[in-house]
Each structure stands twice: as C-alpha cells, then as structure tokens.
Amino acid sequence: MAALKYILVSLPLLNGQSANATWSNLYQSVSNIGFDIPIYKFQMPDLRVGTLDSLLSIGDDLTKTNAFVEGVTCKIRREIEEIERFTGSQSLSLCVNGVPVEIYFTRFSWDEAKYPVMAPIREIVNTIQESVAKLDIDLKVRVAEYTNAKNHLSNILRQETGSLLVRNLSSLVRAEDIVSSEHLTTLLVVVSKFRQKDWMAKYERLSTFVVPKSSRKLHEDNDYALYNVTLFRNVTEIFKATAHNEGFQVREFEFDPTTMGRQLEELERLQCDKDHLHKILQQWCYASYGEAFSAWIHICTIQLFSESILRYGLPPTFLAAALAPKGKDEKKVRRILDQLSGGANSTFWNDEEDDLAMVTLIGGEGAAYPYVSLTVNLPT
C-alpha cells in the first residue's frame, strides 16, 4: 500500500486574532497555491495541562510512544499486505470503526469514552502504550501460529511431492509391488535416471539370493527412478551395504494399505487448520489495524497539544490543521505557515545552529519551524 503524507500543524493566534480568522487566512493562502491541496481543521481536545514541568518531562516519552504505536500500526498493515499478496485477494479499504482511515484522520474526534480528557496526560499515554503493546504481542502470537501451521503443511506436501530421495512413497507403491513372507522381502531402491541400465545389469549380483528378474520400475521423477527388488530376508543388510557402495539408495519402507488414507486425512486436517488460522489472522488484522491507527492519531494529537503549550504558552491559544501538499507545493505551504506564525522574517528560524538548539530543547520535527509540525503517513 502506498502512503499519503499529511503534515499536522498548530499555528499560534497572533495579535489577538481568533482561530476562525487564522483558519480563514490559512485556507485562502493555501487555496491560492492550488485548489487540489487537501486542508482540514483538526479538532483538538481540551486536555488537562497540569504543569509545564510535567509536559516537559513527558516530552521524550511522547516521542518514543508515538514511534512505537506507529510502528505497531505499520506491522499490522504489512501483515495485511502479505496476506493479500499470498492469497491473491483484493485489497480492502483500511478502516477505523467502519470509516476509511483518511476520513477518520481528517475528521478526527477525540474518543472521550476511551480517554477521558480530565485524566492526566501521562495516564492517557500509558493507557495507549499498554493497549498497543498488547496488540503487538497478540500479532506476534497469531502470526507465529499461522506460520507454524503453514510450514508444517508445506513440509508434509514436500514429502508428498519432493525428490524420490525424501518423498513419502506410500502413494507410489501398490500391494502387488511388494512381496513379504517368512523368507522373502521386497526393498525399494532409488536410482539416478542416468544409471538405470547400470542398475538393471547389476542388481542381481549385489548379494546372493536375489530373486532374478524381480526388479521393476515403479515411478520416475526429474532426477531419479524408483525400483523394487525381491530377495531373501537373511541377505537384506548385505544387499543394502553393497547397493550403497554402488551409489544406489535403499529407502526404508513398510507397506501399510491404511497409510495412504491416514495421510490424506492428515493433509486435509492440516489444510483446514491453516485456512482457519489464516482467516482468523486476517480478520484480527483488519479489526486491530483500526484500533492501532486510532491509538496512533490520539498520540499524535497529545504530542501536538503538548508541544503547542510548550511553544506558545498558556492558556491554549492555537489553531490545529492537517494538510497534504505534494512535491514542490510543500515548500510553498511551509512558507505560508511561517508567515502565519510570525517567523517568516526572523533570522532565528533560519539559523541552522538555532534550529539545532530548539530541537535539543523541545524535540520533535516541529522544533525546526516557528510552529509545531508532525508528519502523518496514511495508507492509501
């Protein structure tokens, strides 16, 4: 899945200007660049600020939590992509509570039921961290279960379809191919395709008491042929050793007419198990992606809010917006955001050393601008 880059920003309300007036200026300025640039007001909750010291102390945790939650969201999305690629199924729209992720993001509304705004910010962050960590563990467990079932089935299928040196021989041997009595037994021998004439010329002399003209080709693949040979039981070990020295591989095999039926039942059971686990994993991924994505956007919102308070001070007086400029339009949009933040003509924001100092002080990509800025990559 491709990604659509949004920049989530907050702008200070300068000179007593209202949020609506700042939005109007922003919308009009961006529209002058191009009407195809997505731009939306971003709804900010009235979070419990606490003290500035508490916001400063949680700054690093917010950055780490944001990266962790985004990482888990991407893991689930990659698993969905892998499932769709493996099965050849058509990609479904990724949703949050039935709403496509881009619409959920651009029309974001804080989930008060899950994260009460009167709870301390650190408590909300810890709640999100714990819930997403559980999703991460669940994903690993479910992927491991499905992978194990798939690998087990693949191993069984390889035994059924692989080289004659390793594959199961039950489906290739019939009752009439085997002689088993008190004194006689039948061995199965794998012979290189290029040495079949050599085998037919030598097998009767590989030991004493080999039944003449008892060897017949039962099956052939790209590299090998499977032959049977009947001999007296008491010379079996001598025959095996001599055959091995001549480059012929004797396969251990005990004919059981019920084996084939049991193998088919086992294959069917393993296939059903794999399909069932695949379906459960797919359903879980689609459902959990929405939960993880919602948690991520809530963390982005908290980070934008916290950094805005640290940047602009109290009480909270800023406008939050989400924009998705493409290519060269991003530089133009950034210039507009600079102007509306009062930093367009300031050498402070254009000095690399000062930029680095602000990054160290506040953290986050928004420290490089006179406004707070976060990047949100949405799957499309």
Side-chain angles (χ1 to χ4, degrees):
M1 298 180 182
L4 175 60
K5 176 183 174 181
Y6 269 88
I7 51 175
L8 184 59
V9 301
S10 72
L11 302 176
L13 305 182
L14 301 177
N15 303 319
Q17 197 172 49
S18 68
N20 286 338
T22 301
W23 166 254
S24 179
N25 290 337
L26 174 63
Y27 187 86
Q28 186 60 49
S29 299
V30 171
S31 297
N32 288 339
I33 297 174
F35 286 102
D36 59 341
I37 299 176
I39 176 172
Y40 303 91
K41 272 187 181 180
F42 193 81
Q43 180 182 332
M44 295 295 293
D46 187 16
L47 295 173
R48 180 178 169 184
V49 175
T51 64
L52 292 179
D53 285 344
S54 67
L55 288 182
L56 280 170
S57 68
I58 203 175
D60 286 343
D61 291 341
L62 271 172
T63 301
K64 293 175 183 177
T65 301
N66 192 325
F68 170 72
V69 176
E70 181 183 7
V72 174
T73 305
C74 291
K75 279 187 196 176
I76 298 175
R77 189 181 74 204
R78 286 196 297 270
E79 191 60 38
I80 290 173
E81 293 171 353
E82 179 63 19
I83 290 172
E84 291 174 345
R85 184 195 64 78
F86 182 76
T87 60
S89 56
Q90 184 176 4
S91 297
L92 300 177
S93 176
L94 295 175
C95 297
V96 181
N97 299 327
V99 178
V101 293
E102 186 174 6
I103 294 178
Y104 174 83
F105 172 69
T106 55
R107 300 179 185 176
F108 174 74
S109 178
W110 184 267
D111 191 339
E112 171 72 17
K114 262 190 174 181
Y115 315 114
V117 293
M118 291 309 296
I121 288 179
R122 183 173 290 279
E123 182 179 310
I124 298 174
V125 172
N126 289 342
T127 298
I128 294 175
Q129 171 90 18
E130 290 169 5
S131 65
V132 175
K134 184 178 183 301
L135 288 180
D136 191 31
I137 293 171
D138 286 350
L139 175 65
K140 292 174 182 176
V141 170
R142 292 173 186 275
V143 169
E145 288 177 343
Y146 171 64
T147 301
N148 289 339
K150 184 173 67 173
N151 290 343
H152 190 187
L153 179 61
S154 297
N155 290 336
I156 297 295
L157 289 174
R158 274 197 296 270
Q159 291 177 6
E160 294 297 321
T161 59
S163 160
L164 284 169
L165 289 173
V166 296
R167 71 173 292 180
N168 191 302
L169 303 179
S170 299
S171 61
L172 308 179
V173 181
R174 299 168 298 174
E176 54 266 34
D177 299 324
I178 301 296
V179 175
S180 181
S181 67
E182 182 180 354
H183 299 292
L184 293 176
T185 187
T186 296
L187 299 179
L188 300 180
V189 184
V190 177
V191 179
S192 170
K193 284 181 65 173
F194 304 105
R195 296 195 60 202
Q196 294 184 74
K197 289 183 179 180
D198 197 21
W199 163 258
M200 293 303 293
K202 290 182 177 181
Y203 79 89
E204 294 180 4
R205 302 192 302 274
L206 293 180
S207 78
T208 56
F209 304 116
V210 175
V211 177
K213 301 188 184 302
S214 63
S215 183
R216 184 167 58 87
K217 182 161 63 176
L218 306 181
H219 187 76
E220 185 177 297
D221 63 19
N222 292 333
D223 300 306
Y224 299 98
L226 179 67
Y227 284 84
N228 63 351
V229 59
T230 302
L231 62 158
F232 278 73
R233 288 185 181 274
N234 60 355
V235 297
T236 299
E237 295 306 318
I238 297 174
F239 183 92
K240 288 180 179 178
T242 308
H244 177 74
N245 291 337
E246 290 287 342
F248 306 125
Q249 179 68 46
V250 178
R251 290 287 308 273
E252 295 296 331
F253 179 79
E254 184 175 346
F255 183 75
D256 182 353
T258 64
T259 299
M260 187 62 182
R262 290 200 303 269
Q263 289 174 342
L264 289 176
E265 290 177 1
E266 177 71 1
L267 275 175
E268 185 176 348
R269 183 187 66 79
L270 290 173
Q271 184 67 52
C272 288
D273 287 348
K274 190 206 74 156
D275 291 345
H276 177 65
L277 289 171
H278 170 268
K279 185 176 181 180
I280 289 176
L281 175 61
Q282 187 175 35
Q283 291 173 343
W284 183 91
C285 283
Y286 276 114
S288 298
Y289 181 83
E291 184 178 346
F293 184 87
S294 173
W296 178 39
I297 301 307
H298 278 80
I299 282 292
C300 288
T301 303
I302 295 173
Q303 188 168 4
L304 189 73
F305 177 86
S306 300
E307 292 188 11
S308 297
I309 296 298
L310 291 173
R311 179 69 67 87
Y312 311 132
L314 289 170
T317 51
F318 56 87
L319 168 74
L323 308 93
K326 298 178 182 178
K328 295 180 180 179
D329 286 342
E330 181 172 350
K331 288 185 177 180
K332 298 176 183 177
V333 168
R334 292 283 187 189
R335 281 197 291 269
I336 291 171
L337 295 171
D338 285 346
Q339 291 169 356
L340 293 177
S341 302
N345 299 316
S346 173
T347 58
F348 176 81
W349 298 107
N350 296 316
D351 186 284
E352 292 182 359
E353 292 184 1
D354 285 336
D355 281 354
L356 181 59
M358 285 301 294
V359 170
T360 304
L361 176 63
I362 300 178
E365 64 181 277
Y369 308 102
Y371 53 90
V372 180
S373 172
L374 301 175
T375 297
V376 178
N377 292 305
L378 304 183
T380 57

